[in-house]
Amino acid sequence: MKRFKSIVHTMWTGLKWAGCRAWGFLKSREGRQMLIQMVIVWGGEVIKHLLG
C-alpha cells in the first residue's frame, strides 16, 4: 500500500508540475498566440462539420 501511495504521489507531482509549466506558457505572449490559432483551427473544423 505504501508503494502504491508513493507511485500516486509521484504521478500527481509530475502532473502538477506539467500543468504549472503549461499554464505559465499559456500566459506568455507566444502561448496566447498559439492558443488563439488552435481555437481558430478547431472552430473552423467544427463549423465545417456542422454545415456538412
Side-chain angles (χ1 to χ4, degrees):
M1 188 66 183
K2 193 171 184 180
R3 175 128 176 85
F4 176 73
K5 281 185 177 179
S6 172
I7 292 169
V8 169
H9 177 74
T10 304
M11 283 172 50
W12 170 246
T13 305
L15 285 171
K16 200 164 63 169
W17 181 83
C20 287
R21 296 284 297 170
W23 180 247
F25 175 71
L26 288 175
K27 282 171 56 178
S28 73
R29 213 170 88 205
E30 299 89 15
R32 275 199 300 269
Q33 288 173 341
M34 196 172 107
L35 188 64
I36 290 167
Q37 286 176 341
M38 283 167 50
V39 167
I40 290 169
V41 168
W42 287 346
E45 290 296 319
V46 168
I47 289 169
K48 273 194 272 184
H49 184 73
L50 289 175
L51 296 177

